[in-house]
Amino acid sequence: MIYENITAEDAKEIMDTETDYIILDVREQDEYDVGHIPGAILIPYTEIENQAALKLPDKDTLLLIYCRSGRRSKIAAEALVELGYSNIKEFGGIIDWPYEIEK
């Protein structure tokens, strides 16, 4: 099983047209507090193994994953694949996100 890399534009289109997905921010709390994509839930990438079962109970739900630049989101996506999640799209970093940010 593998995750899919998509663009910020692809992720935004999913957010605008689908209803059953989770936006997952895998940065740290202080980064999330400065600004995040509206509706995103925070699980720092170092906490994926500890928090995934609790915060992401359905392993088939579409997960849209991002971090600051794209490095940590790839690590998190790989960890979630290892944990059995099957519908993962990684769209890089918030630094490349041209849309709305929530503080």
Side-chain angles (χ1 to χ4, degrees):
M1 218 179 312
I2 188 160
Y3 67 90
E4 184 181 354
N5 289 98
I6 62 172
T7 65
E9 292 75 19
D10 292 337
K12 180 73 166 107
E13 186 171 332
I14 291 168
M15 293 171 197
D16 288 345
T17 59
E18 308 273 328
T19 54
D20 193 22
Y21 62 85
I22 293 173
I23 307 166
L24 183 59
D25 186 324
V26 297
R27 300 174 300 158
E28 298 299 322
Q29 182 74 54
D30 59 328
E31 295 173 284
Y32 181 87
D33 292 344
V34 169
H36 54 272
I37 295 171
I41 66 166
L42 176 68
I43 304 178
Y45 82 108
T46 54
E47 293 292 315
I48 291 286
E49 279 145 13
N50 299 331
Q51 294 189 29
L54 182 66
K55 290 190 174 177
L56 309 168
D58 182 352
K59 292 190 174 183
D60 296 322
T61 298
L62 173 57
L63 302 176
L64 301 171
I65 304 178
Y66 74 97
C67 61
R68 188 191 68 81
S69 66
R71 187 183 68 82
R72 289 175 284 180
S73 54
K74 286 177 179 47
I75 295 168
E78 288 166 9
L80 287 162
V81 167
E82 291 289 315
L83 292 170
Y85 289 84
S86 61
N87 197 358
I88 301 168
K89 297 190 188 304
E90 184 271 327
F91 64 98
I94 198 166
I95 57 172
D96 298 317
W97 181 254
Y99 309 104
E100 182 187 357
I101 301 285
E102 183 174 87
K103 293 183 182 358

